[in-house]
């Protein structure tokens, strides 16, 4: 039930280009309708790097109209990732800059090695984050601090990222260079124990509720809760509790 998506453009530090975005879109589309998928982990297969952001070498060859189209495509792809119905975890074992951090921000949970480097550095290039960074970063760490990081193009390590709420967990890097991935995998295994339908509906309730006032949010929760009542998983969960055994969920 755990799907691991690994970025692997080692020669370009996993920079996002047209082809990589196309591959990501195709993969995310396939995952959306696969009921066997319970959690998705985004990681890098390249040591020391998560994603360096947009491929600036490719962008330099683009006409201005192509650049706008590329940024729109990147924003749409990352939005599709954010809208996956199951929990998503970004395992940041290396550098995540610009679009790389925007990709991580679209995940529900972020785990990073203490040595990882993160930042929205677009203002150094006289542009702004264009794939959700100006919206997701303030929703994650607060408006004032998000402005400070974007205005300064500052890069933070895993320890500072944890202290400001940018990531949920920070771990010391191991010899294999995959400590964040190992922590993400442990989290994903915790999620596997829960009711699949409940997990999807809980994510929906939280995501929609965060964009509205509390009264509307509570109404959203009520509507989402109602979706779990008739499921076979709920009956199995109650029966397992009564019989003092682990539940055997089927996602129904």
């Amino acid at each position: 039930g755990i799907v691991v998506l690994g970025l692997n453009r080692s020669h370009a530090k996993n920079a996002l280009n047209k082809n990589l975005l196309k591959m990501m879109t195709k993969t995310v589309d396939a995952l959306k309708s696969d009921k066997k998928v319970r959690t998705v982990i985004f990681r890098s297969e390249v040591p020391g790097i998560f994603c360096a952001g947009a491929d600036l070498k490719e962008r330099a060859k683009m006409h201005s109209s192509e650049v706008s189209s590329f940024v729109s495509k990147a924003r749409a792809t990352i939005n599709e990732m954010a809208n996956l119905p199951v929990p998503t975890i970004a395992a940041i074992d290396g550098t995540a800059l610009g679009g790389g951090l925007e990709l991580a921000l679209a995940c529900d949970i972020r785990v990073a090695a203490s040595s990882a480097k993160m930042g929205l550095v677009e203002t150094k290039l006289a542009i702004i984050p264009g794939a959700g960074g100006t919206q997701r970063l303030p929703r994650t760490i607060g408006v004032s601090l998000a402005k400070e990081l974007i205005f300064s193009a500052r890069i933070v390590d895993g320890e500072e990222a944890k202290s400001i709420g940018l990531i949920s967990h920070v771990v010391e890097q191991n010899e294999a260079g995959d400590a964040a991935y190992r922590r993400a995998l442990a989290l994903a295994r915790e999620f596997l124990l829960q009711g699949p339908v409940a997990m999807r509906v809980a994510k929906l309730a939280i995501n929609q509720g965060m964009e509205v006032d509390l009264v509307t949010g509570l109404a959203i929760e009520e509507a989402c809760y109602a979706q779990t009542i008739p499921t076979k998983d709920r009956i199995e969960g109650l029966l397992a509790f009564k019989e003092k055994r682990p539940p055997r969920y089927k996602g129904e």
Side-chain angles (χ1 to χ4, degrees), residues 1-2 4 38-39 41 89 181-194 199:
I2 301 172
V4 181
R38 302 281 299 279
T39 300
I41 298 175
I89 308 171
Y181 168 63
R182 294 296 169 185
R183 185 69 181 91
L185 203 54
L187 280 173
R189 286 172 177 148
E190 286 186 50
F191 300 164
L192 286 182
L193 302 176
Q194 320 313 323
M199 295 290 280

Side-chain angles (χ1 to χ4, degrees), residues 110-132:
R110 285 162 295 285
V111 180
S114 57
S115 58
K117 305 295 182 183
M118 291 157 269
L120 295 179
V121 297
E122 286 86 348
T123 52
K124 282 187 177 181
L125 301 174
I127 57 175
I128 69 170

Side-chain angles (χ1 to χ4, degrees), residues 118-125 137 144-156 160:
M118 291 157 269
L120 295 179
V121 297
E122 286 86 348
T123 52
K124 282 187 177 181
L125 301 174
L137 187 62
S144 182
L145 190 51
K147 286 179 178 178
E148 180 181 329
L149 293 186
I150 291 173
F151 294 166
S152 65
R154 185 182 306 149
I155 296 174
V156 300
E160 185 175 356

Side-chain angles (χ1 to χ4, degrees), residues 15-30:
L16 303 172
N17 67 348
K18 291 179 180 178
N19 188 53
L20 184 54
L21 287 176
K22 182 179 179 180
M23 293 171 67
M24 289 170 63
T25 299
K26 183 177 180 181
T27 303
V28 170
D29 281 345

Side-chain angles (χ1 to χ4, degrees), residues 58-72:
E58 181 184 73
R59 182 178 292 189
K61 300 175 184 178
M62 295 181 186
H63 186 271
S64 57
S65 60
E66 290 182 285
V67 172
S68 296
S69 176
F70 173 82
V71 174
S72 294

Side-chain angles (χ1 to χ4, degrees), residues 55-99:
D55 189 331
L56 298 181
K57 290 183 179 179
E58 181 184 73
R59 182 178 292 189
K61 300 175 184 178
M62 295 181 186
H63 186 271
S64 57
S65 60
E66 290 182 285
V67 172
S68 296
S69 176
F70 173 82
V71 174
S72 294
K73 179 62 176 176
R75 185 184 304 114
T77 300
I78 290 175
N79 280 342
E80 287 298 306
M81 282 176 42
N83 291 328
L84 277 170
V86 297
T88 55
I89 308 171
I92 309 171
D93 274 304
T95 302
L97 301 177

